[in-house]
Amino acid sequence: AMAQRQKLAHARATTLNTIEVWETYLKEYPRAEPKVKKDARRAIKTLKLAGQFPVGPITKERVNLAEDEEGALNGWGFWADVTNNSKEEVGRIILTLVYLDENDMPLATRRAPVAARYWSVPMEAHFYKPMKPGETRTWEFTDGNIPEGWSGKVLIRPDSIIFGPDE
């Protein structure tokens, strides 16, 4: 029962994604798995910094994932402008796209960089460069694996912010 309660508390913290909820989670589950605790601390740190990186309105549209202008629209594309309003260069900023159901509950998440020295899949060259203070960059993500029950609504939130070089 305790493991189930902890799982539900983690799901709640992930959904609400506020500093207070994450701090409560860490306080109530001090023996949580090290990776879970690390992710919770990263979430708190990112939430404290997120106000310095406003995310503009989200644009979404059907796309051809092979970028074939005459091909079938077999995926979705998402775009949003992100501005570095901090006084420091950012080596890594990752955004999480959250697919929502009709009740605005999360169905699935996807992560993609605005800036990252390394990433698991190839990106356009400008994403590998650090983001300078005052710079606005368009985050973009395409997906052909849309979760069942998706309402067409999404939200985007900063997931990881690292100042200086992304090592």
Side-chain angles (χ1 to χ4, degrees):
M2 189 60 144
Q4 182 64 19
R5 183 173 180 261
Q6 182 176 348
K7 184 178 177 181
L8 290 171
H10 184 265
R12 178 176 184 270
T14 301
T15 299
L16 297 176
N17 199 42
T18 67
I19 293 169
E20 296 78 18
V21 172
W22 280 116
E23 287 176 341
T24 299
Y25 177 84
L26 288 172
K27 183 178 178 184
E28 290 180 7
Y29 302 100
R31 293 193 173 101
E33 292 179 31
K35 182 189 179 319
V36 173
K37 290 195 304 190
K38 181 180 176 184
D39 289 347
R41 287 186 199 104
R42 184 188 72 211
I44 291 167
K45 180 180 175 186
T46 299
L47 287 164
K48 288 178 178 178
L49 296 171
Q52 297 177 60
F53 300 89
V55 177
I58 303 163
T59 301
K60 68 178 187 323
E61 67 181 48
R62 296 295 312 236
V63 297
N64 176 274
L65 295 171
E67 298 181 13
D68 176 359
E69 292 180 21
E70 306 207 7
L73 301 179
N74 57 354
W76 283 89
F78 304 91
W79 299 266
D81 288 341
V82 180
T83 302
N84 178 358
N85 284 339
S86 77
K87 296 181 190 300
E88 297 180 56
E89 187 173 87
V90 177
R92 181 179 183 88
I93 180 167
I94 308 299
L95 298 186
T96 294
L97 172 85
V98 182
Y99 290 99
L100 302 172
D101 70 10
E102 63 186 29
N103 298 312
D104 293 336
M105 294 301 296
L107 291 170
T109 60
R110 309 285 191 265
R111 297 174 72 228
V114 176
R117 186 170 176 193
Y118 303 103
W119 196 245
S120 58
V121 295
M123 310 180 288
E124 292 183 29
H126 68 278
F127 289 111
Y128 292 104
K129 297 177 183 170
M131 199 171 172
K132 300 197 179 307
E135 180 182 350
T136 297
R137 191 175 288 181
T138 301
W139 173 87
E140 53 190 67
F141 179 73
T142 57
D143 193 358
N145 188 20
I146 305 301
E148 189 172 326
W150 180 46
S151 67
K153 295 184 278 185
V154 295
L155 63 87
I156 298 175
R157 62 182 182 225
D159 180 273
S160 177
I161 299 169
I162 297 174
F163 290 101
D166 175 26
E167 307 269 342

